[in-house]
Amino acid sequence: MSEEQVIEFPEKLGFLLFESARWKVAYGGRGGAKTENGARALIMLARTKRLRILCGREIQNSINDSSKFTLEANIEDLGWADEFEILKTEIIHKKTGSRFFFMGLRYNINKVKSLGRIDIVWIDEADKLSRTVLDKLSPTIRGRSDFEEDRGGPFGNGPELWLFYNPDLDTDEVYVRTVLKKEHYMPDYVYVDDKGEPISNKDGSLITESDNPLYTRVRYAIVVKVNYWDNKWFPPDLRMEMNVLRSANENRYLEVWEGQTKVVLEGAIYADELREVLSSNRRGHVPYDPSRPVYTFWDLGHNDKTAIWFIQRVGMEFNIIRYYEDRLKKMPFYIQYLQSLNYTYGTHYLPHDGSAETLSNVTPEKQLKATGVKVIVVERPSRKSVGINAARSVFPLCNFDELNTADGWQCLSRYAYKVDEDTGTFSKEPDHNTPWSHGADGWQTFALSLKTETDSKKPKRTVERKILNLPTNNGWMR
């Protein structure tokens, strides 16, 4: 008889292996071994029954960006390499048939359905999750009906969603939902009736506490904070690093090792401006006003993202009512989206490449004009710093809708300068190779359109326009 293998596992994360819940969240500072133990928990569960496990990230450009190598390393460390088949994009347990899939979610969320029944979704580095992904992911991961004995998931009670992350910004959507507003988005328990339907109060909120014997209490979310002191295997070299940072910079230590959030990202280009927006309470509910036109401001892409800001002017201020982005879509797709909102549009403002001709000689500018709405192509600034400075100048005039511009706010808050790998210092150039730069560039289109309006009011510029027979007002501040 073979000797049983004893595997040590942290008690604080034991719920991953022994409790059933719709949401399981582990967050905290560095050194808590959240990722490693999350991988081990999934590997152990995959050996017990046939599971389909989706390992996701907000952005995954290649398999190298995924958690696959972490899983492979732990399979090897646990001595189970012979039990698993390691393929290029999947991992399969030979006996149970459990399969691990890997996918970036931001632009593939609708493809998740095509994977079939998913039992567990594991998202590492979940601090970068957008509101769009969080809103669409949960209803996409569905279990089987009550008539089936096994409704999916590791315990047969339905699929589970696991979120692991180190907190970054206090405005990040996942931190808001799992910590700041946990009672609204992820209560510990919900109560259901005899048909399994959640019980609500008169105001529509879910009942999370009840002594009614007709109701059944169901575990909905388990959210735990895990730090280095919860890791009995915390290595000495990391402990030394932690103590050095603690003595040098207490605030930085709290952010890195204890999982406290920052108001803004390090090196964030619009850090001061966003701080001022928050302190002035100019981020909240900002509804669409049907009596006023909506102006749109774009950054164009195909392989990269196309980003669109939707803005209304009210007096001397600007209401930022919506933000939208997507990729690998052509202009008719975005036109259809614009029309689906049923807004009354004023002018569409495109960046400098909006008039660039394609092989079909149909530019984005021409396609938008065909909808009957005015289109203006904003000139490219001579230097990137000009666009950034213009963008900084408009924040004091803007009110942001928190819900409908959440993904755009994430772009602005994470738009940062490049870091010099040799010196560790920030350069003068923004990092364009990130998911956040396109939303930030669309914001600059907005700011530069106002600069165009200002220039058009200068006397010399007006004379030039009369000679060229051009309109004297090419901005939108009317």
Side-chain angles (χ1 to χ4, degrees), residues 17-160:
L17 293 169
F18 304 114
E19 294 186 61
S20 175
R22 174 64 170 172
W23 291 90
K24 293 180 177 179
V25 182
Y27 74 101
R30 305 285 178 183
K34 299 181 292 297
T35 298
E36 295 295 321
N37 287 303
R40 290 194 165 211
L42 290 171
I43 293 165
M44 287 187 273
L45 290 171
R47 298 174 76 237
T48 64
K49 62 182 291 190
R50 184 185 182 91
L51 295 171
R52 293 171 63 82
I53 301 169
L54 172 60
C55 304
R57 298 280 176 95
E58 173 76 10
I59 302 292
Q60 180 182 305
N61 294 318
S62 72
I63 197 68
N64 294 332
D65 298 330
S66 73
S67 304
K68 184 171 183 283
F69 296 136
T70 300
L71 287 161
E72 289 179 17
N74 278 281
I75 289 171
E76 187 74 31
D77 291 345
L78 290 165
W80 297 334
D82 292 341
E83 297 184 22
F84 288 86
E85 184 178 5
I86 309 297
L87 303 177
K88 186 175 181 180
T89 59
E90 292 184 23
I91 298 175
I92 303 172
H93 190 265
K94 298 174 183 177
K95 183 177 180 180
T96 65
S98 290
R99 304 174 78 96
F100 292 82
F101 306 89
F102 305 89
M103 181 181 288
L105 298 175
R106 175 168 284 202
Y107 306 114
N108 296 300
I109 194 67
N110 294 324
K111 294 181 182 179
V112 173
K113 293 179 182 178
S114 66
L115 295 178
R117 293 174 172 175
I118 300 297
D119 294 287
I120 302 174
V121 176
W122 178 40
I123 303 179
D124 197 26
E125 298 185 7
D127 55 293
K128 297 178 178 64
L129 283 181
S130 61
R131 182 182 69 87
T132 298
V133 167
L134 283 166
D135 283 347
K136 291 184 177 181
L137 182 63
S138 182
T140 301
I141 306 302
R142 299 189 292 266
R144 303 167 182 87
S145 71
D146 288 334
F147 299 106
E148 299 184 54
E149 185 177 346
D150 188 332
R151 292 187 286 116
F155 301 97
N157 298 321
E160 298 185 351

Side-chain angles (χ1 to χ4, degrees), residues 180-218:
L180 298 182
K181 296 183 179 180
K182 178 185 179 302
E183 67 278 9
H184 298 295
Y185 290 100
M186 295 194 182
D188 292 338
Y189 297 93
V190 296
Y191 285 81
V192 299
D193 59 21
D194 56 353
K195 296 180 181 179
E197 296 292 332
I199 308 300
S200 302
N201 294 304
K202 291 182 179 180
D203 62 359
S205 61
L206 292 175
I207 291 178
T208 57
E209 291 186 13
S210 175
D211 55 6
N212 190 324
L214 299 178
Y215 299 162
T216 301
R217 190 172 77 159
V218 177

Side-chain angles (χ1 to χ4, degrees), residues 294-300 306-313 318-320 322-324 338 345 347-351 368 376 378 438-439 441-450 475-477:
V294 173
Y295 299 86
T296 66
F297 303 87
W298 300 57
D299 182 64
L300 296 171
T306 288
I308 313 171
W309 291 92
F310 297 79
I311 301 177
Q312 291 186 294
R313 176 160 184 201
F318 306 105
N319 286 350
I320 320 301
R322 184 174 293 272
Y323 172 83
Y324 181 76
L338 294 177
Y345 292 102
T347 304
H348 299 305
Y349 286 83
L350 300 178
L368 277 174
I376 291 179
V378 178
H438 304 285
D441 285 347
W443 184 258
Q444 289 176 31
T445 301
F446 162 50
L448 290 168
S449 76
L450 303 183
W476 65 287
M477 290 176 61

Side-chain angles (χ1 to χ4, degrees), residues 282-283 286 317-321 395 397-401:
R282 286 186 282 111
R283 187 175 186 234
V286 183
E317 296 188 341
F318 306 105
N319 286 350
I320 320 301
I321 61 171
F395 280 100
L397 304 174
C398 296
N399 307 298
F400 290 81
D401 184 85

